[in-house]
Amino acid sequence: MSLEKNLVISSSRKLNSKKIMIRIILYTFLIINSIIVLFPIIWIIGSSLNPGDSLYSSSMFPKNPTFIHYIELFTKTDYPIWYINTLKIAFANMILSVILTSFTAYVLSRFKFKGKKITLLTILILQVFPSFLTLTAVYVLLMQLNLLNTHLGLVLFYSAAQIPGNTWVVKGYLDQIPKSLDEAARVDGASNFTTFTKIILPLAKPIIVFLALTSFTGPWMDFIFQRLVLRSADKKTLAVGLLEMVTGQSNTKFTTFAAGAILVAIPIVIIFVFIQKYIIEGLSAGAVKS
């Protein structure tokens, strides 16, 4: 009996030591990743608090920190106009994308019709190609529709470009909601629209919130298409306006640029903190495609 006990004790010790080693490796990996992620964030925050305009003389922890660059953003630049323009485009795209994508995903998830498989296959193929490959065609189309240098043109482009990828994610989530709920609603005399808005949408809240977030952050972080479409100063967005601070021989306001970049990130961070629960649920459930 004593021999068996010794064997059990030695094996348990080996298991415990193995678990400890695995935890040490995992925590070391997480700490290294955290440092890699946090280093540029801390550096740009410190740069925004440094006096002067040059990044070469900036330090991560300034000796004489100042908020003058944040003040200059709102007093000496068009930063408030850029912020409002970007917020307007992102919010409009969020509303339109949620409406278009949710209805499209509901139709593909619930109804059988001719050409459904071809439609799903086409949407799947469209995800392979990045949206910037269509920039030339979209530019010509917007020019013919007199939508160049307009926020409406940007909203229409973003909403259409996000439909393929988002539709698959939302459809995967809706496929997990029992179809018996739709059938019961129809027995009670509810229309398809009523069934979708009153029954399906409340159950699909996590994926709708995730869809709204991704639709909002897309235009908020985009630069290429905004640079291509927007021309006049009153139409510029944050990405376009901030870049012009550090491009060209006369534009060298790098520390002011850093301050602007910090303010750009704040709304997204706040949104992620408050709705991260729905983001996780939407990603985990919507990832199942059928």
Side-chain angles (χ1 to χ4, degrees):
M1 292 294 293
S2 59
L3 180 61
E4 291 180 357
K5 285 184 179 180
N6 291 332
L7 290 173
V8 171
I9 293 172
S10 61
S11 61
S12 62
R13 286 178 179 176
K14 289 181 180 179
L15 289 174
N16 290 333
S17 61
K18 186 177 180 180
K19 288 181 180 179
I20 292 172
M21 287 300 299
I22 292 174
R23 287 185 179 181
I24 291 174
I25 294 172
L26 287 176
Y27 280 116
T28 304
F29 178 76
L30 291 174
I31 290 172
I32 293 173
N33 276 347
S34 299
I35 293 173
I36 294 173
V37 171
L38 292 175
F39 178 80
I41 297 175
I42 297 173
W43 184 84
I44 197 169
I45 292 174
S47 298
S48 68
L49 299 176
N50 274 272
D53 293 330
S54 176
L55 286 182
Y56 295 103
S57 59
S58 300
S59 59
M60 185 179 298
F61 303 102
K63 296 180 180 179
N64 300 309
T66 176
F67 289 93
I68 187 63
H69 304 301
Y70 292 91
I71 298 173
E72 288 178 350
L73 280 174
F74 294 93
T75 57
K76 296 184 179 180
T77 68
D78 292 331
Y79 191 81
I81 297 176
W82 305 337
Y83 216 99
I84 293 173
N85 289 341
T86 309
L87 187 63
K88 181 173 65 176
I89 294 170
F91 187 77
N93 176 66
M94 179 184 70
I95 299 298
L96 187 58
S97 292
V98 168
I99 294 173
L100 293 176
T101 304
S102 58
F103 274 100
T104 304
Y106 177 69
V107 170
L108 293 173
S109 174
R110 287 303 197 261
F111 298 100
K112 294 181 180 180
F113 54 90
K114 202 170 183 179
K116 178 179 177 179
K117 290 185 178 180
I118 297 176
T119 303
L120 289 171
L121 183 61
T122 303
I123 292 175
L124 183 62
I125 293 173
L126 287 175
Q127 294 184 71
V128 178
F129 302 98
S131 57
F132 68 81
L133 291 178
T134 64
L135 288 183
T136 303
V138 173
Y139 182 86
V140 174
L141 181 62
L142 292 180
M143 182 173 61
Q144 293 177 348
L145 296 174
N146 294 322
L147 290 176
L148 283 179
N149 196 35
T150 64
H151 295 160
L152 177 61
L154 285 173
V155 172
L156 293 177
F157 169 77
Y158 290 133
S159 302
Q162 292 174 342
I163 287 177
N166 290 337
T167 296
W168 265 102
V169 176
V170 178
K171 178 186 176 297
Y173 191 98
L174 297 182
D175 286 342
Q176 300 180 67
I177 300 176
K179 293 183 180 180
S180 58
L181 297 175
D182 302 57
E183 297 170 357
R186 292 192 188 96
V187 170
D188 292 336
S191 63
N192 292 326
F193 181 79
T194 303
T195 303
F196 176 64
T197 55
K198 301 294 185 181
I199 298 176
I200 303 301
L201 272 185
L203 296 175
K205 185 178 179 180
I207 197 64
I208 296 300
V209 172
F210 171 76
L211 173 62
L213 176 64
T214 54
S215 301
F216 182 87
T217 56
W220 193 268
M221 299 299 180
D222 182 55
F223 165 76
I224 297 176
F225 194 70
Q226 294 176 10
R227 181 69 170 177
L228 180 69
V229 174
L230 302 179
R231 289 291 182 267
S232 57
D234 61 322
K235 300 290 185 179
K236 290 179 182 178
T237 57
L238 286 169
V240 177
L242 286 174
L243 180 70
E244 292 180 352
M245 286 185 178
V246 293
T247 54
Q249 295 181 352
S250 59
N251 298 330
T252 56
K253 299 180 180 180
F254 290 99
T255 47
T256 306
F257 171 85
I262 295 298
L263 295 180
V264 168
I266 289 176
I268 306 300
V269 173
I270 294 174
I271 292 174
F272 267 100
V273 168
F274 282 99
I275 65 173
Q276 58 181 332
K277 173 185 175 182
Y278 297 108
I279 296 173
I280 296 172
E281 291 181 13
L283 280 173
S284 58
V288 181
K289 298 180 182 180
S290 62

